Amino acid sequence: MSEAGGRDDCRMSAGLGGKTESQVYSATSDTLFSNHTTQTGAHPLSLEWVFGMNPALPAFNLQDHDQLVVLYAGAHVGIIYNHTTNSQHILQGHCRPISCMCVSEDRRWIATADQGPKSTVMIWDSYSGIPVQTLFGCHTEGVVNAMAFSGDTKYLVTLGAEEVQCVCIWDWTNEKEKPLWFTELSPKHGFHDNIIFNPNDSTQLLSTSEKHVLVYSRALGSLQYFALKLKEQSTLAGESFSQSVFHWRKSQIITASTAGSLVVWNVMEDFDANQSFPEDRIQLICIQKDPITALAVIDSCIVIGDTRGHIHFYDGEFLLLTWYSKLNLDAIVSISFSKECTEGYQEDCSPEAKPLILRNFVVSTVSSIVHVNTQKGTSQILLHENGEPQHAVACHPSQSAVAMGNQRGILKVWDYDNKVIISSRVFETEKQIQCVTFDPQGLYLAVGFESGAVHILNPSTLQSDPEEVFHFTNDSIQHITFSSDSKYLATADAGKAVTVLRLQTSKGSVPCWTFMGRYHSHYKPIKDLLFGMHLDSTQPRLLSLGMDCRLVEYDLENSDVNKLLILSSERIEQSAVPLCMTWCPPFSAEQFLLVASDQYKIKLFNSTTKMCRKTVLGPTYGSPVKKVVVLPISVEPKMNSHYLAYITEDKVGLQILPLDGNPYKSSALICHPTGVFAFACSHDGRYLFTAGGSDCTVMSWEISTDALEASAALGGKDMVPFYTLLEGGRDGKFYREMEDFFYYCLVRNQGTDSMEERQTSTKIPLSDVPSLMRALAYFPTEQEIEDMHNEVKFSKYAETGKYVTDIDLEEFIKLYVNHRPAFGISSDELARTFHVLGGRDSTGQLVLQKHELLELLQARGEQMTEEDVAECFTILLGLNEEQEKEEEGARGGGGDRSEHNIKSDCGDSKYSLELAIPVEISMETFTGYILGFPSSAEQRGSSSATQ
């Protein structure tokens, strides 16, 4: 097939009735970067640049004739990098990290596979950057571990990483969901991590494990294989294999070993697959002492790369032709040759000095990608990223510069407009950079390390004076921030403590940082650290937020050297764990602190009283928001010019402010599938930068608030977005029930006994809100009820000076969808509760003793009185209903009950309740018998009956 077949396929699949030519069909090698513009503006966030790469995956040479173009992977994307124009085209389509890649022999087609649970494979056109085929569920029980195109590009082979590995061959040019051929590998042959086609015969393949080489053939109509294995007593049995290739002319297979040797297998057609390979057909060639990490065959040459970064070329008789040992490379991962032969030749190192024509090549190592020009004998570093986890990123407050630090102690500052490194520094004494930040004036760059050290640098030179290196703890620095006037620097460490430094300035002396103190202000990890400004002064204020649910404010005004004081410490959550905070933009006369929690809620707290004034449903994209930042106001302010950027466990997103719970005002997409550690916003609000930790990349995202506003507008106006949060929407049964309950509250407030015409209000008093919430199966705590009351009561106080005492249906719906649990109460939560509070009975089942449950209800949390407990259990167990039925039965029998009997019943009510509550309460007893929830079997039966 090669290029022509692929083009025919793309022409047929893309044509709009055959009248419009496919972009893939018409593309040439110059198309992708000829008028290259990033597709920004169509989405709220567009991936604009990827800093870094995946050091474990190979890089490929796509072009190096008129322009130098290479392919490599980073996180879940492929990157086509044009070094000539310093531009990237990013292949986006995977949701999980890329596990392997390959390119066709003509460099036209690219295949990428991911580490998803069902391994998606995508085939791309390298000329246009457009995906032309997607194979879903290639290996349902494991990721794709390796793959390769056949020499004619018609077939693609995938090797899975299952317990029982599977090899599949796909005809990717046709719309077929299943492979043409497949076979399972016996586990006795070890784990295979690479596979290739025979370039001269697409019916033959080759894969390698640590001790075995498998040769595949589909010549007989099915995919069969036989193993090349050594005898246990063989002198070669101790060798560990790395890669194998086919000899270009002979019936030989060449295998590289980690001992620096080459094993040559003379494969004959009469070989019996069930026998050990005859030792007289095996040749061991001791090439070198260093382990071989890369092996390739090109233009009648055997090419090897090793752990010292050396590359050697051999002829078919394994005689050395030439070598490259002065490239100063790390261990080599792959070698990829140009598809074009260069003009001219060089002489080999034989005594005859024969002419030798070699192609240019790209070599990838664990830390860099290098292009080698064989004719000129020169090398050029295309990418140098050190291949270390990136945990820290920060943007300059007034320049187009972003600082990023990795776990090897390397700090780099990039010009993100021109995509060049401004400055860099390798810290010799400190490793593992955890966090970085610029001060608001751009005068200092502070760096926090895993060791607990803090360096304050000059942002231009990245140098620091010895006096500006601080080490007050051995715990890792987790958060670091400057005050708005650049006079204070605060850090929070893994020891649950906050450290504050103050800049001392005096006439005639150089400003210096002094230690004010380190305070263990939390008993659980600190999640955020924030400076602010007092409303009535320019004095900075400092707050810390911990997993202990406490918001701590420090008394900077009265603190002194070696004397850090706390102003207040307040619990702001009951069961939720706060994860991050920021200052809310001034939408009213009040100042609010915005706090996001692990229950997908965002709350606004009055900055002075710490009262919760608003609760809204936050973004619900698989994991809760863990860091937030308010975007700088744009140069051209719009009608709504405030936006919030946030990250979750693996996504980055934008949110329109002010917050109201409208789900369409938020957008997010995957940024780092294995987890995002930190993010920062550019000073002009045009870009977001996310650091991916273990994937060794930092990504730059271009922001389009117009696209976000357009997306929100498509969700509808007024109440339409909130109706979609109700089960069934506005036309559903749940909304009708909510409406009925609300109107019943209206009628009840005027009295239910009247038959006269009513002039009802459209609002119910706030006192009815808790009962109405409970009727709709949301059971708020007393604190949550107080939060709801305060939210409505003070909603207009700053503007009018008056309290709001009632609420209409639309306001109630907003209150309901924002305050109720984001995903309800799951059985897993109840199971965790029983695991913490209960013990195991004689059968091993988790149970809670009756006296323990009653004691917990009356002594812990929001304590209940004995009367409250009795009333609740009486209602839940239906004891009043049973008593009423007995009384009706007695009246029906004609006998009058005496006063003595009535008193006796009242005295026995407590005794009846004691008998009704089981001594041992399991989770099933609690949910089914006490709470009255249907069992899972009943739910399945009900579902079956409905169907």
Side-chain angles (χ1 to χ4, degrees), residues 31-43:
T31 300
L32 188 61
F33 293 100
S34 58
N35 296 306
H36 186 70
T37 55
T38 55
Q39 297 294 321
T40 57
H43 304 282

mmCIF file of all heavy atoms in Angstrom, residues 31-43:
data_model
loop_
_atom_site.group_PDB
_atom_site.id
_atom_site.type_symbol
_atom_site.label_atom_id
_atom_site.label_comp_id
_atom_site.label_asym_id
_atom_site.label_seq_id
_atom_site.Cartn_x
_atom_site.Cartn_y
_atom_site.Cartn_z
ATOM 1 N N THR A 31 3.290 20.610 4.118
ATOM 2 C CA THR A 31 1.970 21.164 4.467
ATOM 3 C C THR A 31 1.868 21.537 5.936
ATOM 4 O O THR A 31 1.373 22.602 6.291
ATOM 5 C CB THR A 31 0.861 20.172 4.108
ATOM 6 O OG1 THR A 31 0.900 19.908 2.698
ATOM 7 C CG2 THR A 31 -0.507 20.712 4.508
ATOM 8 N N LEU A 32 2.321 20.653 6.814
ATOM 9 C CA LEU A 32 2.050 20.793 8.245
ATOM 10 C C LEU A 32 2.560 22.108 8.810
ATOM 11 O O LEU A 32 1.876 22.768 9.597
ATOM 12 C CB LEU A 32 2.658 19.619 9.015
ATOM 13 C CG LEU A 32 2.293 19.515 10.497
ATOM 14 C CD1 LEU A 32 0.790 19.334 10.666
ATOM 15 C CD2 LEU A 32 3.039 18.364 11.156
ATOM 16 N N PHE A 33 3.748 22.517 8.418
ATOM 17 C CA PHE A 33 4.341 23.719 9.001
ATOM 18 C C PHE A 33 4.444 24.880 8.010
ATOM 19 O O PHE A 33 5.041 25.904 8.330
ATOM 20 C CB PHE A 33 5.742 23.402 9.538
ATOM 21 C CG PHE A 33 5.733 22.474 10.721
ATOM 22 C CD1 PHE A 33 6.009 21.128 10.566
ATOM 23 C CD2 PHE A 33 5.421 22.946 11.983
ATOM 24 C CE1 PHE A 33 6.000 20.266 11.653
ATOM 25 C CE2 PHE A 33 5.409 22.097 13.076
ATOM 26 C CZ PHE A 33 5.691 20.749 12.915
ATOM 27 N N SER A 34 3.864 24.723 6.805
ATOM 28 C CA SER A 34 3.972 25.802 5.815
ATOM 29 C C SER A 34 3.229 27.049 6.268
ATOM 30 O O SER A 34 3.749 28.164 6.208
ATOM 31 C CB SER A 34 3.443 25.338 4.458
ATOM 32 O OG SER A 34 2.094 24.915 4.590
ATOM 33 N N ASN A 35 1.991 26.866 6.736
ATOM 34 C CA ASN A 35 1.218 27.987 7.283
ATOM 35 C C ASN A 35 0.723 27.578 8.662
ATOM 36 O O ASN A 35 -0.470 27.574 8.935
ATOM 37 C CB ASN A 35 0.039 28.344 6.367
ATOM 38 C CG ASN A 35 0.494 28.847 5.018
ATOM 39 O OD1 ASN A 35 1.276 29.773 4.933
ATOM 40 N ND2 ASN A 35 -0.004 28.218 3.957
ATOM 41 N N HIS A 36 1.681 27.175 9.487
ATOM 42 C CA HIS A 36 1.295 26.561 10.756
ATOM 43 C C HIS A 36 0.765 27.593 11.740
ATOM 44 O O HIS A 36 1.447 28.546 12.083
ATOM 45 C CB HIS A 36 2.491 25.847 11.382
ATOM 46 C CG HIS A 36 2.122 25.080 12.612
ATOM 47 N ND1 HIS A 36 1.355 23.946 12.577
ATOM 48 C CD2 HIS A 36 2.406 25.294 13.921
ATOM 49 C CE1 HIS A 36 1.195 23.474 13.797
ATOM 50 N NE2 HIS A 36 1.820 24.277 14.635
ATOM 51 N N THR A 37 -0.487 27.411 12.125
ATOM 52 C CA THR A 37 -1.098 28.228 13.180
ATOM 53 C C THR A 37 -1.818 27.291 14.127
ATOM 54 O O THR A 37 -2.478 26.344 13.693
ATOM 55 C CB THR A 37 -2.117 29.236 12.605
ATOM 56 O OG1 THR A 37 -3.091 28.521 11.833
ATOM 57 C CG2 THR A 37 -1.422 30.259 11.725
ATOM 58 N N THR A 38 -1.673 27.525 15.402
ATOM 59 C CA THR A 38 -2.351 26.685 16.380
ATOM 60 C C THR A 38 -3.842 26.938 16.347
ATOM 61 O O THR A 38 -4.295 28.053 16.138
ATOM 62 C CB THR A 38 -1.815 26.965 17.799
ATOM 63 O OG1 THR A 38 -1.934 28.373 18.059
ATOM 64 C CG2 THR A 38 -0.361 26.567 17.914
ATOM 65 N N GLN A 39 -4.601 25.875 16.561
ATOM 66 C CA GLN A 39 -6.048 25.978 16.525
ATOM 67 C C GLN A 39 -6.562 26.521 17.859
ATOM 68 O O GLN A 39 -7.088 25.799 18.690
ATOM 69 C CB GLN A 39 -6.656 24.595 16.234
ATOM 70 C CG GLN A 39 -6.280 24.028 14.879
ATOM 71 C CD GLN A 39 -6.853 24.842 13.739
ATOM 72 O OE1 GLN A 39 -7.978 25.314 13.801
ATOM 73 N NE2 GLN A 39 -6.078 25.025 12.688
ATOM 74 N N THR A 40 -6.355 27.810 18.066
ATOM 75 C CA THR A 40 -6.800 28.423 19.308
ATOM 76 C C THR A 40 -8.085 29.191 19.067
ATOM 77 O O THR A 40 -8.410 29.556 17.940
ATOM 78 C CB THR A 40 -5.728 29.377 19.850
ATOM 79 O OG1 THR A 40 -5.442 30.365 18.844
ATOM 80 C CG2 THR A 40 -4.453 28.636 20.176
ATOM 81 N N GLY A 41 -8.799 29.461 20.126
ATOM 82 C CA GLY A 41 -10.033 30.221 20.019
ATOM 83 C C GLY A 41 -11.267 29.352 19.922
ATOM 84 O O GLY A 41 -12.347 29.770 20.312
ATOM 85 N N ALA A 42 -11.131 28.130 19.419
ATOM 86 C CA ALA A 42 -12.290 27.255 19.289
ATOM 87 C C ALA A 42 -12.650 26.597 20.610
ATOM 88 O O ALA A 42 -13.783 26.150 20.788
ATOM 89 C CB ALA A 42 -12.024 26.189 18.227
ATOM 90 N N HIS A 43 -11.706 26.506 21.512
ATOM 91 C CA HIS A 43 -11.929 25.871 22.813
ATOM 92 C C HIS A 43 -11.462 26.813 23.919
ATOM 93 O O HIS A 43 -10.548 27.619 23.710
ATOM 94 C CB HIS A 43 -11.168 24.550 22.897
ATOM 95 C CG HIS A 43 -11.506 23.584 21.808
ATOM 96 N ND1 HIS A 43 -12.652 22.821 21.819
ATOM 97 C CD2 HIS A 43 -10.866 23.280 20.655
ATOM 98 C CE1 HIS A 43 -12.691 22.081 20.737
ATOM 99 N NE2 HIS A 43 -11.617 22.344 20.003
#
